[in-house]
Amino acid sequence: MHDAGDFHRELPAELFERAVELLTGLAAISSASGDGAGLEAAARMLAEALEQRGLRSEVRFEQAAGESGGTAPAPLPVLYARSGSGAWPAAGALLLLGHLDTVLPAVPPHRQGDRLLGTGTVDMKGGLAALAGALDLLAHRGAGPPPDLLLVAVPDEEVGGELSRAAVRRWGASARALWVLEPGEPAGEGGAETLVAGRRGMFDWRLEVRGRAAHAGVHYWRGRSALIAAARWCVEAQALSQPGSGPTVNAGRLVAGDAEFVANLASEHALLGGDRRLNVVPDHALAEGEARFLRPGEGEELAHRLAEVAAAVGAATETEIVFTPGPPIPAVDPGGPQRARCERAVALAARRGWRLEIEEARGGISFANFLPDPGRLPVLDGLGPVGGGMHTRDEFVDLVSLRRRIVLLADLLQEDAHARRRKS
């Protein structure tokens, strides 16, 4: 067993500082989603850095389809970088995914002890810099990355963009494995960090309730309140949520009242806070929200149970309820084909003297959720360094974690390259 200082000795100071310098440069470039010039500058800086480290890089401008009949959005840069000297891999690549865009425009990055503060330093330019550092470390060891490594860095992940999803579908359909350079998370005391094995899937839902209007003073009992029916459904639906790895149902919005109010909310909202039309039993309600789940089949089962609740509440309240689930985004099962590789990453971290824990059910949607079949290939997610303040002006990356992740990525890439050589 190596002691806690091993990863410091394993990565020479000059190589680490080179990675920090690259990350500082990337973070200094303002590359908010939709900022074509900034995204291109970040893509070209990273492309040059990867070329210097032995990868062949190319920046391609790609265009999302846009809404039907509308103006097509401007093309945005997508960075491709690969190892080896052959043709760009059409199948069987070790696919690494990252994104160049940030939520906020950049502010000048600065170092503060063991932190580098700046826009995108942890989400997720830190993961891209960690890859560059890992390539440096491999070269220092006299080793190289797997010959079929393919990095795709997209420009619109922070807005759930079409180019990001298209890249995952295109390259993930035939990849042999997917590694995601999104950040891990701190894991409690002792400096432990996480690696993501599972990601929840989700679907949006919409509930519409039609009741019967009545004068609340004169004919109260003749009315059938759509508001009460919708609220009852929301309470019973949310009760299906389970802590831990169980499903969750979130009621995000509920609008109810007389039909004219609900149908014309933009013009009728002035009624709120006043006493007009409070004497009407509400005959129309709309509720919207989302449901999340962890394992294949749970989403379909959850949607079915929510529809059953709608039918039962409708019968009990004598209202008409229509529950409509949206298209599902599949989950990444933590017990899928990546499990052994995740456990190996934990062992490699322990060998270097730090604790890596497997995150079973991260809730945020990420690249792996958009694979054509998330259960087909092993997914290593959350390989980037940890930090804090994502999507705020206080964003930072933990430089101790950056050092750890550089070594971990180098160890993983070296093992993968060795395994590929044995098979060939």
Side-chain angles (χ1 to χ4, degrees), residues 4 7 17 31 66 97 104 123 132 156 163 169 174 180 186 222 249 275 293 370-371 379 412:
F7 65 91
E17 290 302 326
S31 58
L97 283 173
L104 300 173
D123 185 23
D156 60 353
L163 293 177
R169 289 192 298 266
S174 58
V180 181
R222 295 183 186 177
V249 181
D275 59 2
F293 51 92
F370 298 109
L371 288 166
V379 177
L412 287 167

Short mmCIF file of all heavy atoms in Angstrom, two decimals, residues 4 7 17 31 66 97 104 123 132 156 163 169 174 180 186 222 249 275 293 370-371 379 412:
data_model
loop_
_atom_site.label_atom_id
_atom_site.label_comp_id
_atom_site.label_asym_id
_atom_site.label_seq_id
_atom_site.Cartn_x
_atom_site.Cartn_y
_atom_site.Cartn_z
N ALA A 4 -0.12 8.23 2.00
CA ALA A 4 -0.99 9.31 1.54
C ALA A 4 -0.28 10.31 0.64
O ALA A 4 -0.92 11.08 -0.06
CB ALA A 4 -1.62 10.03 2.74
N PHE A 7 0.57 10.12 -4.37
CA PHE A 7 0.15 10.77 -5.61
C PHE A 7 0.89 12.10 -5.81
O PHE A 7 1.03 12.59 -6.91
CB PHE A 7 -1.37 10.97 -5.66
CG PHE A 7 -1.93 11.91 -4.63
CD1 PHE A 7 -2.06 13.26 -4.88
CD2 PHE A 7 -2.35 11.42 -3.40
CE1 PHE A 7 -2.59 14.11 -3.95
CE2 PHE A 7 -2.88 12.28 -2.46
CZ PHE A 7 -3.00 13.62 -2.72
N GLU A 17 2.02 21.74 -12.48
CA GLU A 17 1.89 23.17 -12.75
C GLU A 17 1.53 23.42 -14.21
O GLU A 17 0.84 24.39 -14.52
CB GLU A 17 3.18 23.90 -12.37
CG GLU A 17 3.43 23.97 -10.87
CD GLU A 17 2.31 24.65 -10.11
OE1 GLU A 17 1.69 25.59 -10.66
OE2 GLU A 17 2.04 24.25 -8.95
N SER A 31 -16.52 31.41 -22.12
CA SER A 31 -17.12 30.49 -23.09
C SER A 31 -18.49 30.04 -22.61
O SER A 31 -18.79 28.86 -22.54
CB SER A 31 -16.21 29.28 -23.33
OG SER A 31 -15.95 28.60 -22.11
N GLY A 66 -32.39 23.35 -34.90
CA GLY A 66 -33.28 24.47 -34.60
C GLY A 66 -34.73 24.07 -34.69
O GLY A 66 -35.09 22.98 -35.14
N LEU A 97 -15.84 12.15 -22.92
CA LEU A 97 -16.72 13.28 -23.21
C LEU A 97 -16.52 14.39 -22.19
O LEU A 97 -16.34 14.14 -20.99
CB LEU A 97 -18.18 12.84 -23.19
CG LEU A 97 -18.68 12.09 -24.42
CD1 LEU A 97 -20.09 11.56 -24.19
CD2 LEU A 97 -18.66 12.98 -25.66
N LEU A 104 -22.04 30.79 -16.75
CA LEU A 104 -21.80 32.23 -16.61
C LEU A 104 -20.62 32.66 -17.49
O LEU A 104 -19.73 31.86 -17.75
CB LEU A 104 -21.49 32.57 -15.15
CG LEU A 104 -22.58 32.25 -14.13
CD1 LEU A 104 -22.06 32.49 -12.72
CD2 LEU A 104 -23.83 33.07 -14.38
N ASP A 123 -16.51 22.82 -13.32
CA ASP A 123 -17.58 22.34 -14.20
C ASP A 123 -17.44 22.96 -15.59
O ASP A 123 -18.05 23.98 -15.86
CB ASP A 123 -18.94 22.68 -13.59
CG ASP A 123 -20.10 22.11 -14.38
OD1 ASP A 123 -19.90 21.12 -15.11
OD2 ASP A 123 -21.21 22.65 -14.27
N ALA A 132 -5.34 16.35 -19.89
CA ALA A 132 -4.05 16.81 -20.43
C ALA A 132 -2.92 16.46 -19.47
O ALA A 132 -1.84 16.01 -19.89
CB ALA A 132 -4.11 18.32 -20.68
N ASP A 156 -22.40 22.83 -25.81
CA ASP A 156 -23.74 23.23 -25.34
C ASP A 156 -24.33 22.29 -24.30
O ASP A 156 -25.54 22.20 -24.16
CB ASP A 156 -24.69 23.35 -26.53
CG ASP A 156 -24.86 22.05 -27.31
OD1 ASP A 156 -24.14 21.07 -27.00
OD2 ASP A 156 -25.70 22.01 -28.22
N LEU A 163 -26.39 19.57 -29.90
CA LEU A 163 -25.08 19.08 -30.35
C LEU A 163 -24.51 18.08 -29.34
O LEU A 163 -23.90 17.08 -29.73
CB LEU A 163 -24.12 20.23 -30.56
CG LEU A 163 -24.45 21.19 -31.71
CD1 LEU A 163 -23.45 22.33 -31.76
CD2 LEU A 163 -24.48 20.45 -33.04
N ARG A 169 -25.10 10.28 -28.92
CA ARG A 169 -25.77 9.24 -29.70
C ARG A 169 -24.86 8.70 -30.80
O ARG A 169 -24.77 7.49 -31.03
CB ARG A 169 -27.07 9.79 -30.32
CG ARG A 169 -28.18 10.04 -29.31
CD ARG A 169 -29.50 10.30 -30.01
NE ARG A 169 -29.44 11.50 -30.85
CZ ARG A 169 -29.82 12.71 -30.44
NH1 ARG A 169 -30.23 12.89 -29.19
NH2 ARG A 169 -29.75 13.74 -31.25
N SER A 174 -21.38 3.14 -30.85
CA SER A 174 -20.43 2.09 -31.20
C SER A 174 -19.20 2.08 -30.30
O SER A 174 -18.28 1.29 -30.54
CB SER A 174 -19.99 2.26 -32.65
OG SER A 174 -19.42 3.55 -32.85
N VAL A 180 -16.58 9.92 -18.62
CA VAL A 180 -17.10 11.28 -18.57
C VAL A 180 -16.26 12.11 -17.61
O VAL A 180 -16.06 11.72 -16.46
CB VAL A 180 -18.58 11.28 -18.13
CG1 VAL A 180 -19.13 12.71 -18.12
CG2 VAL A 180 -19.43 10.42 -19.08
N PRO A 186 -17.08 15.98 -3.29
CA PRO A 186 -16.49 15.65 -1.99
C PRO A 186 -17.38 14.66 -1.25
O PRO A 186 -18.60 14.68 -1.41
CB PRO A 186 -16.45 17.01 -1.27
CG PRO A 186 -16.59 18.04 -2.35
CD PRO A 186 -17.42 17.39 -3.42
N ARG A 222 -72.55 21.45 -4.85
CA ARG A 222 -72.73 21.04 -6.24
C ARG A 222 -71.41 21.11 -7.01
O ARG A 222 -71.28 20.52 -8.08
CB ARG A 222 -73.76 21.95 -6.93
CG ARG A 222 -75.17 21.83 -6.37
CD ARG A 222 -76.11 22.72 -7.16
NE ARG A 222 -77.44 22.74 -6.55
CZ ARG A 222 -78.46 23.49 -7.00
NH1 ARG A 222 -78.26 24.27 -8.06
NH2 ARG A 222 -79.63 23.45 -6.40
N VAL A 249 -40.77 11.87 -7.09
CA VAL A 249 -41.76 12.61 -7.88
C VAL A 249 -41.80 14.02 -7.33
O VAL A 249 -42.00 14.22 -6.13
CB VAL A 249 -43.16 11.97 -7.79
CG1 VAL A 249 -44.15 12.76 -8.65
CG2 VAL A 249 -43.12 10.51 -8.23
N ASP A 275 -59.79 39.78 -3.90
CA ASP A 275 -60.90 38.94 -3.46
C ASP A 275 -61.89 38.61 -4.57
O ASP A 275 -62.91 37.97 -4.34
CB ASP A 275 -61.64 39.61 -2.30
CG ASP A 275 -62.20 40.99 -2.66
OD1 ASP A 275 -62.04 41.40 -3.83
OD2 ASP A 275 -62.77 41.64 -1.77
N PHE A 293 -35.82 8.26 -11.63
CA PHE A 293 -35.72 6.84 -11.31
C PHE A 293 -34.32 6.37 -11.63
O PHE A 293 -33.58 7.03 -12.36
CB PHE A 293 -36.75 6.04 -12.12
CG PHE A 293 -36.71 6.34 -13.60
CD1 PHE A 293 -35.92 5.59 -14.46
CD2 PHE A 293 -37.44 7.39 -14.13
CE1 PHE A 293 -35.84 5.88 -15.81
CE2 PHE A 293 -37.38 7.69 -15.49
CZ PHE A 293 -36.58 6.93 -16.33
N PHE A 370 -27.91 10.03 -22.32
CA PHE A 370 -28.36 10.16 -23.70
C PHE A 370 -27.76 9.11 -24.63
O PHE A 370 -27.92 9.19 -25.85
CB PHE A 370 -28.07 11.57 -24.20
CG PHE A 370 -28.80 12.63 -23.42
CD1 PHE A 370 -28.12 13.48 -22.57
CD2 PHE A 370 -30.17 12.75 -23.50
CE1 PHE A 370 -28.79 14.43 -21.82
CE2 PHE A 370 -30.86 13.70 -22.77
CZ PHE A 370 -30.16 14.54 -21.92
N LEU A 371 -27.08 8.13 -24.06
CA LEU A 371 -26.62 7.02 -24.88
C LEU A 371 -27.82 6.28 -25.47
O LEU A 371 -28.87 6.19 -24.84
CB LEU A 371 -25.81 6.04 -24.02
CG LEU A 371 -24.41 6.49 -23.60
CD1 LEU A 371 -23.88 5.59 -22.50
CD2 LEU A 371 -23.46 6.51 -24.79
N VAL A 379 -19.63 2.66 -18.21
CA VAL A 379 -19.57 4.12 -18.10
C VAL A 379 -18.83 4.48 -16.82
O VAL A 379 -19.23 4.09 -15.73
CB VAL A 379 -20.98 4.74 -18.07
CG1 VAL A 379 -20.89 6.25 -17.87
CG2 VAL A 379 -21.75 4.41 -19.33
N LEU A 412 -5.69 4.73 -14.99
CA LEU A 412 -6.78 4.07 -15.72
C LEU A 412 -6.44 3.93 -17.21
O LEU A 412 -6.67 2.87 -17.81
CB LEU A 412 -8.08 4.86 -15.55
CG LEU A 412 -8.75 4.78 -14.18
CD1 LEU A 412 -9.84 5.84 -14.05
CD2 LEU A 412 -9.37 3.38 -13.96
#
